[in-house]
C-alpha cells in the first residue's frame, strides 16, 4: 500500500507526533512524515521529528497575530514544498484560516481532548469535571472554519472518576489520543472515509452493535 505523506503542525512537546512516529515505525500506519512545522522555535516536537529523520521547520508567527491568512500562506508554501497530502494538527496552538483550509479541503485533521461537540476550545478536562459528566474522551475530526467544529471521524470515551483531577483525567485521555489519531490517519490513507455533510462514514465499518458503556458501574 502506498504511504501517505503527512505534514504535522505542532507548537509544543509533540506527544501525539511521537505516537504517529512510533506507529509508522512499527508498520501499523501507512504514512511517512513529509515535514513537521512549528510556530515555536523551541518546540520539543521539532527534536522528535529530527530524531526520526524528518524535515523539522520553524515558521515564526511573530508579526502575524492579526494576520492569520498571511501566516497560513507561509504554511501552505512549506507544506506544498514537501508534497504533503494530509495535514495533521498535533497541539498546534493557532486558529487556522480559510487560506489553509482551501488549500487542503477535507485533508486537515485535528485531535481534541473531549467528546465533541461538547467542550470545544481550551481547558476541556477541567470543564468536564466541573460539569460532572461521567464520560469524557477525545475526538479526531476534519478541520473547518469553526473552533473544533468539523465533521467527526473517530472518538474514544474515557470514564471520569469521582476523584479525578484535571491532570489525571488528561493523562488517561492522552493515552487514547495516541491510539485514535493514528487510526484516523490510517482510515484516510486507505481511502475509507466519506464526508457526507456533518457525518463521516467509514467504508466496511461496523454497521450493527448493541454495545454500550455505563459509568459508574455497580
Amino acid at each position: 500500500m502506498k504511504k501517505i505523506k503527512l505534514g504535522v503542525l505542532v507548537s509544543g512537546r509533540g506527544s501525539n507526533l511521537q505516537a504517529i512516529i512510533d506507529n509508522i515505525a512499527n508498520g501499523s500506519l501507512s504514512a511517512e512524515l513529509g515535514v513537521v512545522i512549528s510556530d515555536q522555535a523551541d518546540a520539543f516536537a521539532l527534536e522528535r521529528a529530527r530524531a526520526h529523520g524528518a524535515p523539522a521547520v520553524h515558521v515564526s508567527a511573530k508579526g502575524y497575530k492579526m494576520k492569520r491568512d498571511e501566516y497560513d500562506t507561509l504554511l501552505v508554501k512549506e507544506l506544498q514544498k514537501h508534497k504533503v497530502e494530509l495535514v495533521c494538527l498535533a497541539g498546534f496552538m493557532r486558529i487556522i484560516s480559510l487560506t489553509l483550509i482551501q488549500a487542503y479541503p477535507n485533508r486537515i485533521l485535528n485531535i481534541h481532548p473531549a467528546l465533541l461537540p461538547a467542550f470545544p476550545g481550551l481547558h476541556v478536562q477541567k470543564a468536564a469535571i466541573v460539569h460532572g459528566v461521567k464520560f469524557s474522551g477525545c475526538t479526531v475530526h476534519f478541520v473547518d472554519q469553526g473552533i473544533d467544529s468539523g465533521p467527526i471521524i473517530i472518538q474514544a470515551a474515557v470514564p471520569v472518576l469521582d476523584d479525578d483531577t484535571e491532570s489525571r483525567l488528561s493523562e488517561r485521555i492522552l493515552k487514547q489520543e495516541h491510539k485514535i489519531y493514528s487510526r484516523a490517519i490510517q482510515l484516510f490513507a486507505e481511502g475509507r472515509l466519506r464526508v457526507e455533510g456533518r457525518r463521516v462514514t467509514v467504508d466496511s465499518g461496523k454497521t450493527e452493535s448493541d454495545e454500550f458503556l455505563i459509568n459508574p458501574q455497580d
Side-chain angles (χ1 to χ4, degrees):
M1 176 180 175
K2 177 181 175 292
K3 293 184 177 181
I4 191 167
K5 186 167 284 191
L6 306 179
V8 184
L9 305 186
V10 297
S11 293
R13 60 178 181 161
S15 69
N16 268 304
L17 169 65
Q18 187 62 54
I20 290 170
I21 289 171
D22 292 344
N23 286 319
I24 289 173
N26 67 31
S28 64
L29 181 54
S30 301
E32 61 179 297
L33 284 183
V35 65
V36 174
I37 303 174
S38 178
D39 59 333
Q40 303 295 320
D42 59 352
F44 185 66
L46 293 176
E47 295 302 317
R48 295 181 190 270
R50 295 184 186 108
H52 182 66
V57 179
H58 170 226
V59 178
S60 176
K62 189 175 182 179
Y64 292 98
K65 186 174 182 180
M66 304 303 293
K67 303 174 182 177
R68 288 181 0 215
D69 56 337
E70 293 182 17
Y71 180 76
D72 284 2
T73 296
L74 301 179
L75 295 181
V76 169
K77 288 180 180 178
E78 197 66 41
L79 292 165
Q80 291 177 341
K81 172 184 172 182
H82 292 278
K83 296 180 170 42
V84 164
E85 299 169 273
L86 179 67
V87 180
C88 299
L89 310 185
F92 188 58
M93 301 306 291
R94 290 181 60 87
I95 298 173
I96 67 173
S97 72
L98 192 59
T99 297
L100 182 52
I101 293 169
Q102 288 180 333
Y104 289 90
N106 284 339
R107 288 189 292 152
I108 306 174
L109 305 186
N110 184 47
I111 180 84
H112 181 73
L115 293 177
L116 294 173
F119 308 123
L122 301 174
H123 308 298
V124 296
Q125 295 92 347
K126 180 178 180 180
I129 292 171
V130 168
H131 279 76
V133 299
K134 298 304 181 184
F135 284 99
S136 186
C138 46
T139 303
V140 181
H141 62 94
F142 285 108
V143 174
D144 62 12
Q145 287 182 267
I147 304 296
D148 301 318
S149 60
I152 292 168
I153 299 168
I154 187 171
Q155 295 181 304
V158 175
V160 180
L161 306 179
D162 290 343
D163 61 349
D164 259 336
T165 62
E166 183 179 358
S167 62
R168 283 204 295 265
L169 179 58
S170 298
E171 288 175 5
R172 295 206 313 282
I173 290 174
L174 188 60
K175 291 178 182 179
Q176 303 309 315
E177 290 181 45
H178 293 166
K179 298 174 186 177
I180 69 169
Y181 209 172
S182 290
R183 180 58 181 155
I185 295 168
Q186 183 64 24
L187 289 171
F188 185 96
E190 293 172 0
R192 294 175 59 191
L193 300 180
R194 298 286 179 268
V195 182
E196 302 169 351
R198 285 218 44 84
R199 297 190 67 213
V200 178
T201 58
V202 180
D203 289 351
S204 302
K206 184 182 286 189
T207 58
E208 185 176 341
S209 175
D210 290 325
E211 297 171 3
F212 64 94
L213 301 172
I214 296 177
N215 179 38
Q217 295 185 9
D218 248 344

